[in-house]
């Protein structure tokens, strides 16, 4: 399962921000066309993510696939949702068995077959789509990629909103360019105080756009709040091969317009009201920091709480 990529805030004329879209929304006046192609320190022991080296439900040959991560994640608690502005970065030369992405997720923080997750984001995943476009995706599992869960609409669990254009699996574009145009989409995932379902929205348009929901019954351990919430950069690749680029393919130290990012990081309370994350409960995790890194979360920036992440292709092991 993968998720993917970066964005920049207030830029002046030549580098004004753009919204990546997949279709012409009735709300939007932005000039991005829709793609119509078809089909710092290690985290503490409790940090857990779904195994990105494991393809769900036997859909793919996962015996020789491994994964790497660059993540900011909450400590154990109770979390009702999260939101981020995610930059869109393409990887047109990515190999068929490689994947790279950025996503937001809520999990029950358990390990192995007891692991549950709801996730949404953007990734390049040729094995799943038979192309190298950037795709919006959703994913869920309640047994750590065992027999339950799937990407997008390949099984029941995520219910898209009626008539919505941005459905899971849809290609988005155009992407951001290095030291140039910044393209992004803001998404949020939070509980519905009335139904208990997990609602997914797009938030970068003039009006919030409801994308659909994860049914609460598919992952009961995430009912009434999730034990952890995560902002994730990730890649996967064959164990005897080399890894693709994560994010923009550049390290976070390069910063604005060059490194991938999560911006305007937001959390939600039990009434679906947004609030700033609390930095003291956020923990960084880099599974292979010589290949992929994350920056600190600075306070009070013009883009709210944010961080850069990523690294170049060619990592091995």
């Amino acid at each position: 399962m993968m998720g993917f990529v970066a964005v920049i805030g207030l830029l002046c004329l030549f580098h004004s921000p753009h919204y990546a879209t997949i279709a012409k929304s009735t709300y939007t006046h932005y000039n991005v066309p829709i793609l119509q192609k078809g089909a710092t320190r290690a985290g503490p022991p409790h940090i857990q993510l779904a195994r990105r080296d494991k393809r769900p439900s036997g859909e793919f040959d996962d015996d020789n696939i491994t994964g790497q991560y660059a993540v900011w994640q909450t400590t154990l608690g109770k979390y009702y949702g999260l939101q981020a502005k995610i930059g869109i970065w393409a990887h047109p030369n990515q190999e068929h068995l490689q994947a790279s992405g950025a996503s937001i997720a809520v999990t029950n923080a358990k390990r192995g077959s007891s692991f549950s997750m709801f996730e949404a984001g953007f990734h390049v995943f040729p094995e799943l789509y038979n192309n190298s476009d950037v795709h919006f995706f959703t994913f869920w599992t309640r047994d750590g990629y065992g027999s339950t869960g799937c990407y997008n609409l390949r099984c029941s669990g995520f219910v898209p909103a009626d008539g919505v254009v941005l459905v899971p699996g849809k290609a988005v574009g155009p992407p951001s360019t290095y030291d140039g145009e910044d393209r992004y989409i803001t998404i949020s995932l939070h509980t519905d105080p009335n139904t208990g379902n997990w609602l997914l929205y797009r938030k970068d348009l003039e009006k919030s756009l409801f994308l659909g929901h994860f049914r609460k019954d598919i992952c009961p351990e995430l009912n009434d709040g999730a034990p952890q919430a995560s902002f994730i950069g990730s890649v996967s690749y064959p164990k005897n091969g080399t890894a693709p680029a994560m994010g923009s393919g550049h390290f976070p130290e390069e910063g604005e317009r060059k490194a991938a990012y999560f911006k305007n990081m937001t959390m939600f309370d039990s009434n679906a009201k947004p609030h700033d994350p609390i930095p003291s409960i956020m923990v960084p995790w880099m599974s292979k920091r010589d290949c992929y890194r994350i920056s600190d979360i600075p306070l009070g920036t013009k883009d709210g709480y944010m961080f850069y992440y990523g690294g170049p292709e060619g990592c091995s092991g």
Side-chain angles (χ1 to χ4, degrees):
M1 129 213 123
M2 314 294 311
F4 306 37
V5 201
V7 70
I8 313 286
L10 300 169
L11 305 175
C12 46
L13 278 178
F14 183 71
H15 293 297
S16 61
H18 296 79
Y19 305 83
T21 90
I22 30 175
K24 243 179 176 171
S25 165
T26 55
Y27 304 128
T28 182
H29 59 273
Y30 313 121
N31 62 353
V32 182
I34 288 182
L35 295 185
Q36 295 293 353
K37 294 188 178 180
T40 322
R41 58 192 183 275
H46 66 257
I47 280 189
Q48 170 72 0
L49 292 174
R51 291 181 54 199
R52 261 164 233 277
D53 56 332
K54 189 83 170 169
R55 265 51 171 193
S57 304
E59 291 174 330
F60 309 105
D61 176 11
D62 57 32
D63 290 343
N64 297 307
I65 301 295
T66 190
Q68 304 297 344
Y69 319 88
V71 180
W72 273 97
Q73 188 169 35
T74 61
T75 55
L76 289 176
K78 185 175 284 190
Y79 305 97
Y80 296 91
L82 70 172
Q83 174 178 307
K85 178 179 176 182
I86 302 174
I88 306 300
W89 293 88
H91 302 284
N93 299 319
Q94 192 165 293
E95 296 177 5
H96 185 70
L97 293 178
Q98 296 175 333
S100 178
S103 59
I104 57 175
V106 291
T107 71
N108 67 350
K110 294 184 179 180
R111 298 182 180 276
S113 61
S114 297
F115 181 81
S116 296
M117 166 185 266
F118 291 141
E119 181 183 28
F122 304 90
H123 61 188
V124 178
F125 198 168
E127 189 179 9
L128 183 61
Y129 303 103
N130 291 315
N131 62 51
S132 296
D133 295 330
V134 183
H135 290 260
F136 168 63
F137 81 95
T138 58
F139 178 81
W140 71 272
T141 182
R142 67 167 174 267
D143 63 354
Y145 280 15
S147 60
T148 66
C150 64
Y151 285 103
N152 304 329
L153 306 179
R154 298 167 70 90
C155 66
S156 62
F158 182 81
V159 182
D162 291 340
V164 70
V165 174
L166 183 54
V167 294
K170 187 77 172 181
V172 302
S176 301
T177 56
Y178 182 78
D179 203 20
E181 299 231 340
D182 174 46
R183 307 278 181 169
Y184 60 86
I185 295 177
T186 300
I187 56 174
S188 70
L189 176 64
H190 62 77
T191 57
D192 182 340
N194 298 314
T195 67
N197 295 325
W198 286 82
L199 310 181
L200 186 61
Y201 283 86
R202 180 177 179 180
K203 293 295 191 78
D204 55 273
L205 305 177
E206 293 174 345
K207 181 179 178 181
S208 293
L209 181 62
F210 177 54
L211 301 179
H213 69 273
F214 290 100
R215 302 194 330 260
K216 67 175 182 179
D217 60 290
I218 60 175
C219 290
E221 290 190 326
L222 299 178
N223 292 348
D224 192 31
Q228 283 188 313
S230 305
F231 302 86
I232 306 166
S234 60
V235 298
S236 68
Y237 54 98
K239 291 179 180 177
N240 60 352
T242 58
M246 181 189 292
S248 69
H250 295 264
F251 289 120
E253 293 85 346
E254 295 196 34
E256 198 86 342
R257 297 200 316 272
K258 297 176 181 179
Y261 62 80
F262 288 78
K263 291 187 175 181
N264 300 119
M265 298 163 66
T266 302
M267 307 298 288
F268 292 87
D269 65 19
S270 60
N271 295 312
K273 299 298 183 184
H275 60 86
D276 286 338
I278 302 172
S280 62
I281 66 168
M282 301 296 294
V283 181
W285 182 24
M286 292 161 279
S287 61
K288 199 171 182 64
R289 67 172 300 157
D290 55 332
C291 295
Y292 307 109
R293 297 198 284 270
I294 53 177
S295 71
D296 291 336
I297 300 178
L299 302 179
T301 71
K302 67 179 184 297
D303 298 301
Y305 289 90
M306 55 85 63
F307 67 93
Y308 296 109
Y309 74 96
E313 63 182 335
C315 184
S316 60

